[in-house]
Amino acid sequence: MLLALLLGLSLRVQATHIVGGEMELVHQQGSTYTLVLNLYFDAVNGNVAALDAQMTAGIFEKATNRRLQDVTLPLTSNTFVSYTNPACAAGSLSTRKLVYSKDLTLDAATYASAGGYYASVERCCRNLSISNIVNPGAAAQAFYLEFPAVARGGQPFVDSTPRIFPPLGDYACLGELFYYDFGGQDADGDSLAYDMVTPLNGHATASLPDPAQALPAPYSTVTWAAGLSAQNQLPGAPTMTIDARTGRLTVRPTRLGLFVFGVRCAEYRRGVKIGETRRDFQLLVVACPTNQAPTVQLFTAGQTRAYQPSRDTLRLRIDQDPCLRVRFTDPDPGSQLRVRLRPVNFTAPVPTWGGATSGTVRAAGAPDTLQATLCFDPCQTPPGNVYLLDIIVADNGCALPKQDTVRLTFTPEPGRNTPPVLTSSFPPAGGTTPALVRVPVGSSYTATLLGTDADQNPLVLSATGQGFDLSAAGMQFDAQSGAGRATGTFRWQATCTGASSGQELTVLFQLRESAVCNGQPVTLPVRFQLVPAADTVAFVPPNIITPNGDGLNDEFTLPTLPPDFCDVRFAGVTIFNRWGREVYRSPERSFRWGGAGLAGTYYYLITYTNGRKFKGWLEVLPAAGATTN
């Protein structure tokens, strides 16, 4: 019995495995939430007996520390934490991410305290080899988060706590700057703020590493080694700090060893703090081989002097080469380099790369320096503003890449430009009224256009029907573009299928400089109208016939009537006597009326399909045997 007890105690004492961790509370729907514990486990030195199949969380009211419920969290995931650069993996450093989670109900009747709530899990012990705290083998961790009431003022108050990610899989090099992004996300869009805090120890001990339930706050903290504190958790120059807004962690270690540190992420809604979560983690500092930083230089077109940040400004003009040469290298043999862009005070448009942006230098068959081209589009960036762009080159050094940055200052400027000139063979316009071209039906019309530019900028000529399709109307425009000169030929085969009687078709001809930012195109609107092949509107009809058989004026005909034109066609003729009685009718425009043995004054009415009418009178001289009406 005593031997068994001693063996059990020995296992508990050696259960040193905790690298760190944090908790999350994620809203699902209604009153359902998921409580999550992420525990980071030392996969090299951790005792496998400490890899728990489940953990127990307690939920407490902050104002009173009253326990509301215990939640058993089963193990739902077991994965390895990835390195930023897998090639830098060290056999002495391997971390597992153990995820424990369970859905639970937080009803408004129970969780309505204005002071909010907290959840915690307690577990012992941390790694024996931690360098910056006292008695690390007996140091425990209290995983901790705070969350608000689920209802306020009788209305649901939905909140998911921040998610701090990703976990850290890397080591740091002695004397080298180490950086890592601990910035999190908040599903509700709440503001997040970060600071360094002393890790919580809590109530678990080496003799009771896994309590049946977490105890309420307050929780004791770990004890820092001499000279260290929450503001100086890892000896460094500078010491470990975290950006309050971005969550970016930085340190330049000055001591070898394994160091635990604590980060707090608080969430704010409308300026009021509503919750927080904490992450404890470890950073291993090792002595690394010397790795020299790469360098990057920029050269403008035709220049041999490198661009000098803070002294030079790149002025982008449409009449100048918009590209830069980017040269990057590394003094270390066999270095693998990659160059990238980071806009500082803008998001788009980002310049485009030409050539390779990555490669190996100072190796067999490899060059000492790599070169790429960075090209801007001045037309996509508003002129007059000053933009900042970081060009960053990074190597493949361990534990983290070393890099060099050149901050480019550039501003787009409107270049000198003389507007182009457009001439044509169309009739001149009438002041502000576009020229009118009247084309007889069945005929073909052709006109030429010429665009010129004193600056020899590339020119483009185009033609667009205003509210109609050129080809459907029987129109065609052929253009030849070029530097400083563009020509075009317009043709119209005028048919009734392309236009209707009296309809005006306006074509907009445009000449533009294709490589000029915000250049104003030259436009030329021209109106086109389809007309009859021979318009005899002012025809003079006869007003007397003598149906006596002498071959002269024997019949009433109208050969000079306005011709049929597209949808305007002859509809018919009707002749009346002076009392209005119809004496003749014909739908044929080639009608012939010989008086039909009548004499006297008669009246005719001629109609067209569009409602057009011609009226007149006709005297029929009596022939032998004629009847007067």
Side-chain angles (χ1 to χ4, degrees), residues 24-37 55 57 59 69-76 99-107 111 160:
E24 301 169 4
L25 184 65
V26 182
H27 178 255
Q28 300 298 340
Q29 60 180 2
S31 300
T32 302
Y33 290 74
T34 302
L35 185 61
V36 180
L37 167 65
M55 302 287 280
I59 301 180
Q69 63 173 309
D70 289 328
V71 182
T72 300
L73 306 175
L75 179 64
T76 57
V99 179
Y100 300 85
S101 65
K102 180 69 177 295
D103 289 348
L104 69 158
T105 299
L106 302 180
D107 61 273
Y111 290 89
S160 292

Side-chain angles (χ1 to χ4, degrees), residues 77-142:
S77 176
N78 183 345
T79 58
F80 282 99
V81 175
S82 300
Y83 282 81
T84 300
N85 182 1
C88 295
S92 60
L93 181 63
S94 180
T95 304
R96 288 183 177 273
K97 179 181 180 181
L98 308 179
V99 179
Y100 300 85
S101 65
K102 180 69 177 295
D103 289 348
L104 69 158
T105 299
L106 302 180
D107 61 273
T110 303
Y111 290 89
S113 173
Y117 303 86
Y118 64 90
S120 66
V121 175
E122 299 197 65
R123 188 66 166 90
C124 194
C125 296
R126 300 178 186 266
N127 282 342
L128 283 168
S129 55
I130 294 176
S131 308
N132 58 338
I133 62 174
V134 175
N135 194 15
Q141 178 170 350

Side-chain angles (χ1 to χ4, degrees), residues 139-194:
Q141 178 170 350
F143 304 89
Y144 180 86
L145 69 78
E146 296 179 1
F147 63 94
V150 299
R152 289 188 177 181
Q155 297 297 320
F157 189 84
V158 175
D159 177 61
S160 292
T161 58
R163 302 188 66 186
I164 306 177
F165 69 99
L168 181 67
D170 301 325
Y171 53 88
C173 294
L174 182 69
E176 300 288 351
L177 183 65
F178 176 86
Y179 50 90
Y180 206 83
D181 185 9
F182 269 98
Q185 287 186 347
D186 190 89
D188 310 302
D190 296 323
S191 299
L192 304 181
Y194 305 88

Side-chain angles (χ1 to χ4, degrees), residues 451-453 456-461 479-487 511-514:
T452 57
D453 184 70
Q456 296 299 300
N457 289 319
L459 297 179
V460 176
L461 260 175
Q480 296 293 326
S481 302
R485 180 182 175 88
T487 59
L511 174 68
R512 63 181 178 87
E513 298 167 286
S514 61

Side-chain angles (χ1 to χ4, degrees), residues 439-456:
V439 182
V441 64
S443 64
S444 178
Y445 177 83
T446 301
T448 58
L449 298 94
L450 172 64
T452 57
D453 184 70
D455 302 319
Q456 296 299 300

Side-chain angles (χ1 to χ4, degrees), residues 548-571:
N548 54 14
D550 63 359
L552 299 174
N553 297 324
D554 285 336
E555 297 175 317
F556 176 52
T557 63
L558 293 175
T560 59
L561 270 173
D564 291 344
F565 173 50
C566 298
D567 57 345
V568 180
R569 296 183 170 277
F570 178 85

